[in-house]
Amino acid sequence: MSELNQDHFWMLQALAEAEKAIYRTRPNPAVGCVIVKDGAIVGRGATAPVGGSHAEVFAMHEAGEQAQGATAYVTLEPCAHYGRTPPCAKGLVEAGITRVVIACADPNPLVAGKGIEILKQAGIEVVTDVCTAQAEVQNKGFLKAMATDMPYVRLKIASSLDGRTAMASGESKWITGNLARQDVQHWRAISGAVITGIETILVDDPLLNVRQLEGVDLATVIQPKRIILDRQGRLPLTAKILQTPDTVIVMGPFRSELEQIGVVQLEIQSLPELLQTLKKIQIYDVLVEAGATLSTAFLQAKLVDELISYVAPTFLGAKARTMFNAEFDRMAEQLRFKLLNVTQLGDDIRLKLIPLQESV
């Protein structure tokens, strides 16, 4: 096996370690590390919850003296700064690692090449850009937020074949089947916040939390904040979402009764300002689960990075509510997407798409 193929093989093992941490590390990125010597893994690790050790520390501890002269495979550039934990780049140097293979660079201004420079100055061979695309998928929000000061926004829509999301009355339970609804739990679990509109709260009275993840202990999952856009102050105090008010943020006029139960309130006016505010409080991944009005607003403002569209094999009819309510007169106004993949979930399908920058 060539060195390039070996690096790819071992990095896949590091990516598997990182995958174990994706629900527990926010706002830190999920990182995996394996230390390899003489063709075998001698140490492995994944990022602990905030305040705990980074992946490299776990891997070095397991490797012990075997780290001397070994190769470390890390899915994100080792940190170079003192925070809650010491810099991992220096730890790799002190452990006697002689070669480090990195999947992707860290755009965090506190790192941004500094970790690689520490390694190189110590005489360690550094190889970059191995399995980069796979590593970026695991930390899309963190990487975008560090590079642009805006969180990564996913818009989730569940619709019928004729593009309808609910009956005229608002009834929508259930368009999609159980497997599709379980799949949504994953997107909530990797998100720092779920955004919805007041109409969704009034009609469906949802919790918008993570309630089930196959093979995952929910006690280890960081629940997302639930953000409600309520410009007219209509959120009822009896709403189910207020059963855990400390995880709710309301964008709307100030209400003393919400303050008394611990709800955070934001008196801001625009969606870009909301997203910028979320980034400042270290929310890097956002999931929008809303009706057509709010979904359309995000799309038309070009704030959506990824569209997750669940389509059920059913027709709801012309009177049912549409998934998108903008009115276009010319083909040039249409919003086009690039299809990333299609997944069958029971009788439903899930389309993952990214908006194209230019209309056609």
Side-chain angles (χ1 to χ4, degrees), residues 280-356:
K280 290 176 183 177
I281 60 174
Q282 296 186 301
I283 291 176
Y284 302 144
D285 288 88
V286 170
L287 179 65
V288 180
E289 289 193 59
T293 299
L294 187 54
S295 297
T296 299
F298 268 95
L299 286 167
Q300 290 195 293
K302 299 188 185 304
L303 296 173
V304 175
D305 296 294
E306 186 175 314
L307 174 61
I308 303 168
S309 177
Y310 297 91
V311 183
T314 186
F315 288 101
L316 297 186
K319 292 183 180 180
R321 298 187 180 187
T322 182
M323 64 190 294
F324 185 74
N325 62 13
E327 294 184 359
F328 298 150
D329 296 316
R330 298 175 295 112
M331 287 294 287
E333 297 176 275
Q334 67 181 285
L335 301 181
R336 291 191 66 88
F337 298 83
K338 177 181 178 180
L339 179 64
L340 297 181
N341 61 57
V342 180
T343 303
Q344 183 168 350
L345 298 165
D347 290 332
D348 307 316
I349 60 169
R350 183 193 68 202
L351 307 174
K352 287 182 65 177
L353 313 103
I354 55 174
L356 296 177

Side-chain angles (χ1 to χ4, degrees), residues 198 229-236 250-253 255 257-258:
I198 185 60
L229 275 60
D230 182 22
R231 298 184 188 278
Q232 297 177 23
R234 294 187 291 158
L235 176 64
V250 174
M251 178 178 163
R255 295 170 59 188
E257 61 269 32
L258 293 180

